[in-house]
Amino acid sequence: MNQTQDFTKGVIWKQLLFFFFPILIGSFFQQLYNTVDTIIVGQAVGTSALAAVGSTGNLTSLIVNFYVGLSTGASVVIAQYYGAQNNKKIHQAVHTSYSLAIVSGILMMLFGLFFSYQCLDAIGTPHDILNDATLYMQLYFLCMIPGAIYNIGAGILRAVGDSKRPLYYLIVCSIVNVVFDYIFVVIFHQGIAGAAIATVIAQFVCAILVTIQLMRTNEVYKLTLSKMKFHLPVLKKIIMIGAPAGIQSTMYSISNIVLQSHINAFGTQTIASWSVYVKIDALFWMMIAAIGAAITTFSGQNYGAHLHDRIKKGTRTALAMAFIMTISISTILCLTGSYITRLFSSDPHIIEECYSLMLFLMPFYFLYCCVEIFSGTMRGCGESIKPMILVCLGICVLRIAWLTFISPHYPTIKGVVVSYPVTWFTTSLLFIIYYKHFKKHHFDAN
């Protein structure tokens, strides 16, 4: 059955919603990989193990976000070729993307295996959890190759408007992850090592499923392993879009690593509280990222078809959706946060501190909407460098400056994390200003 979707015609809000929900649900199941690890480790092993798993999050995200950016580059390029109905270029982009996934996956795996301890030590991970955190991170990095393959494969499917099959695969893999988490951690008492191994197995299942689908399809995006190679013009285009998108994603992680190093100074209990908050906070980021992915693919196909007015309408629609959903999820999480926190830990201190952070930060989520929607639109149109620069200035540089010069005068965890809404507001303002210029230059002049 053909699951692809042509975004160049039809009702815009319906298309975005139908594409958005499978990505959102898929992201939810993907997040279950680490969330289930956190819940089982926190309940079955203890607070120190919970902190050890949580302390690796920003470093693993730093690496993972870069290859997610590369997969975004592949997805945008294929979406543009799909909108332009250029079958030859689609074929070249699919095989180039898969080759890139394998090479980048190998490089990231080797980096994680050899430099996990040094990286965790550099950000001030407490020594009582450093060895456990290193073990978890090294085992986690064994899944870099299948992780890269899955992200590229899912990006190919989404580029042609199919967001459902990646969802199906993630549901299967999440079930695999939960089952092996229980087996390794609860039954065999393998601790955080068992949680990491369960995630590795689940990632391999994801990679195998998406690869089989691409090999068995009769559509223009069919994958033939014997034809895998780098087509240099296409590779250059993928990297020109994907590398800045990857760097943009790593900017968030870099600033979060600096923030994590400040949180680490408050001790193991606060690290554990922040780890739980980040898992709950991920619900918002999954939602906003899904809207961003939808408008990126929508813009890519319509840009390839030269339908510029439709891109502008789609951007306005996506922005309205983002604001409505963000306000809704912020309200729900603030009302139910104390109950959700108890899923991760029974420690009263962790529950209280985590819920306090939720009430402090979540009402400001709406400030971030413009960043995701406008950067997604620009990236779909092939403009990836300028959004990267804006994120670098507004998110990374400003947040690090805040943590370096302002936070020391307010030595509490809230004095540290208030840098989030400050940088969200500033970066959104930068994107609003630049998008007006971008729209005039790319759309109105044509």
Side-chain angles (χ1 to χ4, degrees):
M1 182 178 177
N2 188 6
Q3 302 274 1
T4 60
Q5 185 174 179
D6 184 355
F7 284 113
T8 61
K9 50 182 178 286
V11 181
I12 293 175
W13 69 267
K14 286 184 179 179
Q15 290 184 319
L16 289 174
L17 276 180
F18 286 140
F19 193 74
F20 159 80
F21 277 114
I23 296 177
L24 176 63
I25 299 168
S27 298
F28 172 78
F29 279 100
Q30 192 167 30
Q31 182 63 28
L32 274 180
Y33 288 159
N34 289 329
T35 301
V36 170
D37 289 345
T38 306
I39 292 174
I40 292 179
V41 167
Q43 297 289 356
V45 188
T47 298
S48 293
L50 176 64
V53 172
S55 67
T56 67
N58 286 318
L59 281 174
T60 54
S61 294
L62 175 66
I63 306 299
V64 171
N65 283 345
F66 186 75
Y67 76 64
V68 170
L70 286 178
S71 70
T72 299
S75 183
V76 168
V77 169
I78 294 170
Q80 290 181 355
Y81 290 147
Y82 190 75
Q85 299 182 346
N86 191 332
N87 293 350
K88 179 181 178 181
K89 287 294 185 181
I90 293 173
H91 173 84
Q92 292 178 351
V94 166
H95 292 87
T96 298
S97 299
Y98 246 71
S99 302
L100 183 61
I102 293 172
V103 172
S104 61
I106 291 172
L107 292 176
M108 287 181 287
M109 180 187 70
L110 293 175
F111 176 86
L113 291 176
F114 289 107
F115 296 106
S116 291
Y117 182 91
Q118 292 87 337
C119 291
L120 288 165
D121 189 42
I123 65 169
T125 303
H127 283 271
D128 62 326
I129 62 173
L130 182 57
N131 287 333
D132 282 344
T134 300
L135 175 61
Y136 181 86
M137 190 167 166
Q138 287 176 329
L139 290 171
Y140 184 88
F141 269 83
L142 289 175
C143 66
M144 287 298 104
I145 297 175
I149 289 173
Y150 170 76
N151 276 280
I152 287 288
I156 292 169
L157 291 175
R158 288 170 184 153
V160 297
D162 182 0
S163 60
K164 293 181 181 178
R165 284 196 178 95
L167 164 62
Y168 303 152
Y169 305 148
L170 284 173
I171 291 174
V172 172
C173 297
S174 296
I175 295 171
V176 170
N177 190 66
V178 171
V179 170
F180 280 101
D181 260 324
Y182 186 82
I183 292 172
F184 287 129
V185 178
V186 179
I187 298 178
F188 293 146
H189 306 290
Q190 294 299 306
I192 62 172
I197 293 170
T199 301
V200 172
I201 294 172
Q203 290 277 21
F204 268 99
V205 172
C206 264
I208 291 169
L209 288 176
V210 76
T211 302
I212 290 174
Q213 170 57 37
L214 291 172
M215 291 174 63
R216 293 179 62 183
T217 186
N218 293 318
E219 302 295 325
V220 294
Y221 54 88
K222 179 181 178 67
L223 172 69
T224 304
L225 296 181
S226 61
K227 295 181 180 179
M228 282 177 52
K229 68 175 183 177
F230 290 115
H231 297 271
L232 294 183
V234 175
L235 176 63
K236 181 180 178 181
K237 191 171 182 179
I238 290 173
I239 292 176
M240 287 292 290
I241 298 173
I247 294 170
Q248 177 179 329
S249 296
T250 62
M251 293 297 173
Y252 296 103
S253 297
I254 290 170
S255 61
N256 288 338
I257 287 171
V258 176
L259 185 139
Q260 181 72 52
S261 68
H262 283 71
I263 290 175
N264 289 347
F266 293 103
T268 299
Q269 284 275 10
T270 299
I271 294 173
S273 299
W274 180 249
S275 299
V276 173
Y277 171 81
V278 168
K279 296 302 179 187
I280 300 171
D281 167 74
L283 292 171
F284 164 72
W285 296 106
M286 286 187 291
M287 181 203 71
I288 199 70
I291 300 175
I295 192 60
T296 298
T297 300
F298 179 92
S299 299
Q301 286 194 17
N302 283 283
Y303 192 77
H306 304 290
L307 299 175
H308 298 154
D309 284 341
R310 190 170 170 82
I311 296 174
K312 289 188 286 186
K313 292 177 183 177
T315 301
R316 291 194 297 268
T317 302
L319 192 59
M321 289 167 53
F323 277 120
I324 293 170
M325 293 178 185
T326 296
I327 292 169
S328 299
I329 196 170
S330 300
T331 303
I332 292 169
L333 290 177
C334 284
L335 291 175
T336 62
S338 61
Y339 303 103
I340 299 174
T341 303
R342 288 181 171 87
L343 291 172
F344 296 87
S345 177
S346 57
D347 187 322
H349 176 82
I350 292 176
I351 294 171
E352 180 183 357
E353 189 170 32
C354 180
Y355 187 46
S356 176
L357 288 168
M358 292 173 70
L359 293 177
F360 183 69
L361 288 175
M362 290 183 175
F364 297 103
Y365 280 158
F366 75 95
L367 293 172
Y368 183 79
C369 291
C370 291
V371 178
E372 190 68 33
I373 301 305
F374 289 147
S375 65
T377 298
M378 295 178 205
R379 197 176 301 117
C381 297
E383 174 60 88
S384 200
I385 293 177
K386 298 293 174 45
M388 177 197 73
I389 294 172
L390 295 181
V391 167
C392 178
L393 293 174
I395 296 291
C396 193
V397 174
L398 179 58
R399 189 172 296 170
I400 291 173
W402 180 279
L403 294 170
T404 303
F405 300 110
I406 307 297
S407 291
H409 298 289
Y410 304 93
T412 65
I413 188 171
K414 288 181 179 177
V416 172
V417 301
V418 73
S419 59
Y420 278 109
V422 170
T423 53
W424 294 338
F425 171 77
T426 305
T427 311
S428 281
L429 188 60
L430 291 173
F431 268 96
I432 291 170
I433 293 170
Y434 180 71
Y435 179 69
K436 291 183 178 180
H437 167 78
F438 174 85
K439 185 171 61 171
K440 182 178 180 180
H441 180 71
H442 282 75
F443 304 149
D444 298 339
N446 292 300

